[in-house]
Amino acid sequence: MLQEKRIALRNSGLINPESIEDYIQSGGYQALAKSLAMESSLVYETIIESGLRGRGGAGFPSGAKGKSTALTCEDCLKYVVCNADEGEPGTFKDRIIMETDPHSLIEGMLIAAWSIKATKGYIYIRGEYYKSIERVKKAIDQAKSKGFLGEDILSSGFDFDIEVKVGAGSYLCGEELTLLESIEGRRGYPRIKPPFPAQRGLWGVPTLINNVETLANFAPIILFGADWYKSLGTEKSHGTKIFTISGDVNKPGYYEVEMGMKLGDLINNFAGGVKGGNEIKAILIGGAAGTFASKKHLELPLDYDALKENGLTLGSGAIIVLNESRSVLDMLRSILSFFKHESCGKCVPCRLGTAHILSVVESLEKSNVGERESIFLNTIKQAEIMAKTSLCPLGQSPILPLKSAWTNFSDEIVKS
Amino acid sequence: MDIKEILNKYPKKKEYILEILHEIQDKEPCQYLSNDSLKQVANHLNVSLAQVHGVVGYYSMFSTKPRSKYLIRACKSPICSLMGGETVIDSVKASLDRHFPDKSAQANFTIEETECLGQCSESPCLMLNQAVYGNLTPEKIDSLILELKASL
Amino acid sequence: MSKNVFITIDGKQISAPKGANLLKVARENSFDIPGLCFHHKLSPTGACRLCLVKVEGMRGLVASCTLKVEEGMIVTAFDEELEQTRRFLLDYLLSEHNDTYDNTYSDELRVLMFRYGLDKKENRFFKSVLESLNIKVDSSSPVLTYEPSKCIKCFRCIKACDEVQGKNVLSFNDRGINSYIIAGSGVWGESECDGCGECIQLCPTGALVEKPNRESINLDKVEKRVKTTCPYCGVGCQIELFIQNDKIVRSLGVEGVSPNDGRLCVKGRFGYEFVHSNDRLKTPLIKKEGRFVEASWDEAFDLIASKFLEIKEKYGSDALAGYASAKCTNEDNYIFQKFIRIAFGTNNIDYCTRLCHASTVTAMLKSIGDGAGSNPIEDFETTDCLLIIGNNIVETHPITATYVKRGAARGQKIIVIDPKWTPIVRYASVWLQPKLGTDVALLNGIINVIIRNGWHNPQFIMERVEGGIEAFNELDSLIKKYTPDYVERITGVPADKIILAAKLYARSATAMIATGMGMSQQVTGTNNVFCLLNLMLITGQVGRERCGIDPPRGQNNVQGATDVGCHPFMYPGYIPVANDENKKKVSMEWCVPFDALSSKPGLTTVEIVKAAHEGKVKALYIMGENPMLTDPNLNHTEEALKNLDFLVVQDIFHTETTKFAHVILPASTWAEKNGTFVNSDRRVLRVRKAVDCYGDAREDWKIIHELSNRMGFPMPIYNNESEIFDELARVTPIMAGISHARIELHGIQWPCPTTDHQGTSTLYVDKFNTPSGKGKLFPVDYAEQNERVDAQYPFLLNSGRILFHYHTSTMSRRTKVLRDFIDASYVLMNPNDAIKLNLSDGQKVKIASRRGELETKLKISEEVLEGELFMPWHFTESQVNRLTRDELDPYSKIAPFKLSAVNVSAK
């Protein structure tokens, strides 16, 4: 049955996001109480067992991250950071969570913090999300006044506090290691890894970084158990995912469905199909650091592995639909322009690469049809070297849209 | 605006630099960061001038050039561009010309581009100061400008 | 000690220390992996990606500069894929780089460009992006030009400024491909950049190039590079001079050697211009009818010899005196003191040290037996707690300060005691700002807190302090009244700060003291330092690594000049003259009769001036000193010099003193001679001749040698300076094991008693150098100064140095770069005082004391307390010492430059 399955969005639209009483009444902070009564290690083991993977885009097993951080040192200072610097074009799921159910994020952070025995947390929200910042700050104050934050939470002896940090217009600060630099008050340059944040993160201390949507899943998983979560979704991609759909569809918006939902079903059943009855040409999955799917992929289930097997990526879950009148090349150009603008400039391949591949793609229009193939393949070659040599995921990303565009739309690229 | 008052709300630690810069910029009528205010920030946080300027220069929400009372940031992300975002700025300019034929009055408006605002299901969109307006059409833009004219 | 591990690079097995940087190890083993952002002095960046290698077990390509060597690592450094990738990345990099090259800098990118064949157009695949980047050149700095079209955004300059020099002046601005470097808020010349040039030295391209000599330097035409020691302050930085057309055209810091590891300050890097100034004295000058007339060396020598002999005959040996030079080499100074003792037959030899660290040395000699710093410069970084008192270390010893800043970054606790704000206060854990002249009270207060809380070290006191517990109890009973509240009332320092300082110093595992002019140049200078030594001895913060007391020395060879005997009471090696055994040894080595040498201790610097004033000293031979700017109470000094029958001044420029000479002899700068200096941490360092003497000028020791000859006291023939040093070493036990040959590459710290001894890093580990082998406590009581403020003279004037100029600025003001930074006198006044006197910033003012007056410009500043003023003393147009007094410290005979009562009025 094609229905949403709202877990991360369980309260969205159903409660007043500015009322902690509403949240409590709908079962809020019960998972926290349950976690605090458990061994902290059991908490992250539960998350591991559930198979929850990072919902920010990387898809890394969330519980494993927590465990690695916890095991770095038993009693030392540790931090939990929530990455709410949602900058991937086409993605706005975290904003929805923060605006409609900020307490789910706070409860998630509390559970994550208890699992690794961290005593301080930071929520790094992008500066343009004014409403989210306001709502999250309010929710933190409310949680404090009710004793869910602060000292000796629910008489457990556990102390935890959260501070909101505000970004200021940098996509790259959504990348984990760059995020830490930004929190520490510096320009957003990615750090060298290793060391990884789980071993040395914020101010040199073990730090667990999770995406908003990931954390919003923690409370239900603790409350209803790993097995319950595993029963949803597919064999290797458990649970649900919020997909944000935009572009040429009748009902652009956000939909939380079980992993494994078919791409075509998502577009037609939930997003109302292509606008104006047009044909689908392309679907950009995952935003700028995403891949172009074509009509032939509509039957694919949306999960990490099925997409990967087909040369596609799930990424942040952004789905942008292009109808037959749109130009994939134009879209590519916008994407490459985005990367050039957001490159921090630290490493050579990305700093120069994003500039050069953009100018090449821009010049494609003016070149002869006969030359276009070799020009585009040259661009792909550059992007491949960028992927091989760049310091961080930004430089490693342009190959994704470029290669998938070529695989699925080479005709159009050469002839348009 | 008393910068010292703003600064004294924050501990003298570098990690508060973004919050401090935001607050100073937001309270400045022309929504920017002057050299003098940055000097005071550097002193308060005990960091060097270059470090403060470097942070300001990196993050695209900050400006060292005076803007105006109304800051219009048009989204130029791939999705908004797809959905007609490339014409938003032209529409804004056309509306301004229409409703403020006296160019000097247009000084109350600064137009900039911005990257994805995370409002993609309502693209194309823009941000006016801290509020987001989506599903833009030339008409919607025009009525927005008219509204602003009324409040000037 | 890190153990060695085995790794394999391209099939070759290599042994390297575990945890060493992989790129560095590879290069050291002849695997020349390219890389532009890496520098061994900096933390790895991983930005240029040229050093990518393959490591078995690691996915993909990894930057070798970011990896540490581990046992069994298998590395591929060169294969086709890696080389092709590197060429590709270089091609990228060259597309944002302006390839023009003018041979004025070394260009690492250019070398790689040729290596990878990218100099050929057909091998370049990427169009230049420079046109779209409209970033302007910044040539506003006096020392360098920033050329963004050559900048490869490698981070080296930023890290050099942050990590090596601790200054944080630089950052990137903007982002991505539009990034560029800014200093301060964007205009280099208006930023806090102090011209140290670390960024220039580390820049791998022509993005940052020095301005001085840019038009003339051509690296291909540089004839030689000469390593020598900097002639400015007592840090003793190792520099490399580039010589082109017989002129110095560049000075670089020498990496990998103590004490500076490639670091320099603005003076060391750019302050050589004076060597080639047209103002240089080039022939002897004899005053005839009130005018100086050029003369031949013969004429000059004969006149001088005859006059000295005449005065000696008529008035006796003690009517003659000599000022040695803290700027001249050990060899020059050794010959000079030999001359004074043999040819003049007196011990009236002294020099500017008497105006400087005399109190420090006097107190230290009495208390612990040595007047030199007890620790090597590296300890400034590694000690747990550093007490910096009366020492504006950032401006006066910039390189030592870089060690301190790095220590601070590692969590070192720093206590600063200074009546005036100085830049090191930014790094201080606590800053005590006592009123001028109240130091004894403050230090006694700190000792009081320590004893009261039981933070002293009874075991150390028992074992290593003379008189043990008894001596301690004596100190304790004097200290009892110096409670924090009592001390606060006298000094103005809040009690809680006194307590914190005491706790930090006493309770740190290791602690060092750096003491400067603020302590020494006072009428209670010796007592001030006694208090510091008491503090050090009762807490046991001495006699171990990273513990002790280091007075950073001001001049490049002020340490050496005393070491080699330019002291009225001591022969070379601190051996008292008033001792027949010593005199016998020395006379034998010098091949002179026992009675030829005087046993009577001679006069000190200011005493010589006083004696001249009284007509007791008739003749004075001054080498490389400028008492007419450096001595206190200049009006009095002027009268004294005018009263001399015969004054010979040997110098490189006309100075305020040469005016009064009867004969002026043209001497050589440090760049024109071979020899040695001794720096602040007792390191004997080589000085090497880089250019020929100017005009007819001669090396100082050769002038003295000939003069001695002409006076009938011939010295042995020395074929070179190394032979002079060998003789010096025979007479000076602390340097007995040192020779020019042994210090060819690295300096050696004395004491070095034998030729196989490695030198001594830390003093007093086993015992102190006193007769008992133990340290001595000297309890001192606070007393108010004689020089007091009153209605007529309501301010206390402090004086001192600034970074850009050097002492009497004969060298620094003949260097354009240094003048570009600052070239005028000023006085600092607290804003509240300025308001009361209705004076404004920049206004011309007159300052007068009980001794004299001067004019200068007012600068309103919060750096000084109300009621106090500060003036730099470098500027001849406003001679600070017209105002100072010559009431001397009774032990060290130093004058209190740091405290004079004055008034200020609008001009």
Side-chain angles (χ1 to χ4, degrees), chain A residues 187 344 351 356 382 388-389, chain C residues 49 81 92 95-96 174:
Chain A
R187 287 168 59 94
C344 69
R351 179 174 81 240
H356 281 292
Q382 287 191 45
K388 227 176 21 174
T389 60
Chain C
R49 316 309 285 170
E81 184 192 354
Y92 259 175
S95 71
E96 69 170 6
D174 213 323

Side-chain angles (χ1 to χ4, degrees), chain A residues 1 17 50 60 103 135 142 197 227 285 300 347 369 390 396:
Chain A
M1 243 239 277
S50 75
F60 191 85
H103 282 282
R135 291 234 163 120
Q142 291 171 344
D227 284 339
I285 310 177
L300 278 183
C347 76
V369 169
S390 291
Q396 293 157 5

Side-chain angles (χ1 to χ4, degrees), chain A residues 192 345-352 389-391, chain C residues 23 27 33-39 44-52 63-66 85-93 96 108-109 112 152-156 204:
Chain A
I192 298 168
K346 178 171 179 180
C347 76
V348 168
C350 175
R351 179 174 81 240
L352 275 311
T389 60
S390 291
L391 178 58
Chain C
L23 178 58
R27 285 174 171 176
I33 301 175
L36 288 167
C37 67
F38 177 75
H39 193 281
T45 308
C48 73
R49 316 309 285 170
L50 292 172
C51 70
L52 293 173
S64 54
C65 69
T66 63
T85 306
R86 291 173 187 142
R87 180 175 292 108
F88 183 93
L89 292 173
L90 273 169
D91 201 355
Y92 259 175
L93 195 49
E96 69 170 6
E108 293 174 42
L109 174 58
L112 287 177
I152 59 169
K153 291 100 177 162
C154 63
F155 283 81
R156 274 204 204 168

Side-chain angles (χ1 to χ4, degrees), chain C residues 818-834:
Chain C
L818 299 173
R819 286 200 328 268
D820 283 343
F821 276 102
I822 189 159
D823 199 23
S825 164
Y826 58 89
V827 60
L828 296 182
M829 178 185 277
N830 184 285
N832 293 335
D833 288 327

Side-chain angles (χ1 to χ4, degrees), chain A residues 54-257:
Chain A
R55 294 289 190 248
F60 191 85
S62 313
K65 244 191 195 179
K67 181 172 184 176
S68 173
T69 313
L71 293 180
T72 300
C73 59
E74 180 60 33
D75 278 314
C76 66
L77 179 64
K78 299 189 205 79
Y79 296 116
V80 171
V81 169
C82 169
N83 184 351
D85 189 59
E86 182 173 61
E88 191 64 61
T91 317
F92 49 93
K93 60 190 177 64
D94 295 338
R95 176 174 65 79
I96 300 301
I97 294 173
M98 288 189 283
E99 285 180 8
T100 63
D101 190 12
H103 282 282
S104 68
L105 170 56
I106 291 172
E107 189 176 5
M109 273 186 87
L110 276 157
I111 294 169
W114 171 241
S115 78
I116 67 167
K117 301 221 193 104
T119 49
K120 180 80 189 267
Y122 293 92
I123 303 180
Y124 183 97
I125 308 178
R126 58 178 297 194
E128 299 90 337
Y129 276 6
Y130 292 103
K131 202 186 218 164
S132 298
I133 294 168
E134 195 194 309
R135 291 234 163 120
V136 168
K137 279 185 174 171
K138 204 176 209 157
I140 290 174
D141 285 341
Q142 291 171 344
K144 270 199 195 128
S145 65
K146 285 267 196 269
F148 294 121
L149 285 171
E151 286 174 18
D152 196 22
I153 296 168
L154 299 182
S155 309
S156 63
F158 175 55
D159 305 337
F160 186 66
D161 211 348
I162 300 179
E163 218 178 290
V164 169
K165 301 292 292 168
V166 179
S170 161
Y171 163 75
L172 190 53
C173 287
E175 188 275 317
E176 287 191 352
L177 291 160
T178 313
L179 178 65
L180 298 178
E181 286 292 290
S182 189
I183 292 180
E184 292 187 14
R186 288 195 275 274
R187 287 168 59 94
Y189 289 117
R191 294 179 179 179
I192 298 168
K193 50 180 195 242
F196 291 90
Q199 281 71 57
R200 277 224 313 262
L202 213 45
W203 297 295
V205 141
T207 305
L208 174 60
I209 306 173
N210 282 128
N211 170 262
V212 173
E213 186 184 350
T214 310
L215 288 169
N217 278 294
F218 274 32
I221 291 174
I222 294 296
L223 219 43
F224 304 119
D227 284 339
W228 160 80
Y229 196 77
K230 262 183 0 197
S231 71
L232 304 162
T234 65
E235 201 192 307
K236 292 214 192 112
S237 301
H238 299 307
T240 58
K241 178 84 187 75
I242 306 174
F243 291 97
T244 46
I245 308 181
S246 53
D248 294 324
V249 288
N250 286 309
K251 292 200 286 179
Y254 52 95
Y255 305 97
E256 185 174 3
V257 296

Side-chain angles (χ1 to χ4, degrees), chain B residues 108-131:
Chain B
N108 283 304
F109 297 87
T110 302
I111 308 170
E112 286 177 4
E113 284 183 322
T114 183
E115 290 293 351
C116 182
L117 292 172
Q119 310 281 346
C120 315
S121 54
E122 284 118 42
S123 49
C125 50
L126 62 77
M127 209 154 59
L128 167 68
N129 291 349
Q130 297 190 3

